[in-house]
Amino acid sequence: MAGVQTAVALREQGFTGTISLIGAEPHQPYDRPPLSKAVLLGNAEHSAFDVDFDALSVDLQLGREVSGLRAGEHELDTPAGPVPYDVLVIATGAEPITLPGAEGVPGVHLLRTLDDAERLRPVLAKRHRIVVVGAGWIGAEFATAAREAGCEVAVVEAADHPLPGALPAEVAAPMARWYAEAGAELLTGARVTAVEQGAVVVEGGRRLPADAVVVGIGARPATRWLAGSGIDLGPGGAVTADERLRTSLPDVYAVGDCASFPSGRYGRRLLVHHWDNALQGPRTVAAGIVGADTGEGGEPGEIYDPVPYFWSEQFGRFVQYAGHHGAADALLRRGDPDAPSWSALWLLGGVIVAVLTVGRPRDLAQGRRLIEVGARIDPERAADPAVPLKAAVL
């Protein structure tokens, strides 16, 4: 998404030079959200982007892995030889974290690429017994698809609630019931001690029969190929881009899942592993490359400081999140979390900074706009689900 959208944005903003889009996978560039849904269930032939690269005069170089960056020479290293550049945009995304001890065990799967999804399709078609390790977004979405396919599903999560890396327990705990309602077993506070062919063993000795194991315990920026390049990386491996997504190296930008950026809105550096970030960031990168990010007199123009946005479809529910709640000092609920639809709001000093909605798209749309403008809201009115959020502004 980030690489393709950068190419599209460059042409839209008037760039007329050569654009090469290099990808390690042999497939036409594709969208990832359908991989855990339609592609798995065979409801979509493919998820390729509807982009005419020939019409955009974009040179697609597929199946070509980049192994290194030599900034002094302005060259990339690939098995087929060096690739020179005038400007480089790093959009290598993220790679899944593997489960220690599970590497090489037959029947263990990750779900990140189109090939991963294609390998899992026959597993679902055969209605196998599946153990999912990790109750994050991917784990929940895969468990949803597996149950729809008629598989027996158990989900193992080391934390005491689902979505531990994304939401606090008080918000995410009610979501545990969704698994049972869908006929999936959720084991929280359960650490995996061994993965064997045909079984997953959890702390305490319980063995979970598994014809297949799907690991969804998170992802890390795919930046290991940058070792020795001199580029600045954060503690987790993300490229540390600035407010215009420029890196520490000259003529090198970074965008999407592989890059963090400073957010003035939230007063901290953000690493956003979500689709919308890979859609929005390329416009800033393209503006920097074509020189459209400067105002009158050459002053810097608009910086990249979005309200992060994410959505997930799981267990018959549409979940949306906008903002960043890390520093919030108050939590408001709109509606009963046991009901089919509800929302949660996070405030900092009375200002709304994040919103989570389940089946309440209007709350998300209004909440996102209020976050963008830094609106202060009346907690009592905002907690009433019958009151539109925009009507709770002070």
Side-chain angles (χ1 to χ4, degrees), residues 143-144 147 177-184 315:
T144 299
R147 284 301 300 142
R177 290 188 287 272
W178 300 356
Y179 289 77
E181 291 171 7
F315 307 115

Side-chain angles (χ1 to χ4, degrees), residues 36-105:
S36 59
K37 308 172 185 71
V39 173
L40 268 181
L41 296 173
N43 297 331
E45 287 300 314
H46 54 75
S47 54
F49 290 115
D50 185 18
V51 175
D52 189 336
F53 294 101
D54 289 336
L56 291 175
S57 296
V58 171
D59 175 27
L60 271 185
Q61 299 185 30
L62 304 176
R64 189 172 192 180
E65 188 162 359
V66 175
S67 57
L69 164 62
R70 288 178 287 114
E73 291 77 23
H74 271 51
E75 284 186 342
L76 298 170
D77 290 324
T78 79
V83 177
Y85 67 84
D86 294 318
V87 178
L88 173 67
V89 180
I90 300 172
T92 46
E95 58 189 9
I97 296 172
T98 57
L99 182 66
E103 298 94 332
V105 178

Side-chain angles (χ1 to χ4, degrees), residues 177-231:
R177 290 188 287 272
W178 300 356
Y179 289 77
E181 291 171 7
E185 182 180 11
L186 173 64
L187 290 78
T188 55
R191 194 170 298 276
V192 173
T193 59
V195 177
E196 307 167 354
Q197 186 171 359
V200 171
V201 183
V202 298
E203 214 165 42
R206 181 178 173 186
R207 296 173 60 85
L208 301 171
D211 298 307
V213 178
V214 177
V215 178
I217 56 175
R220 63 166 62 91
T223 57
R224 284 184 279 194
W225 64 279
L226 289 166
S229 68
I231 199 168

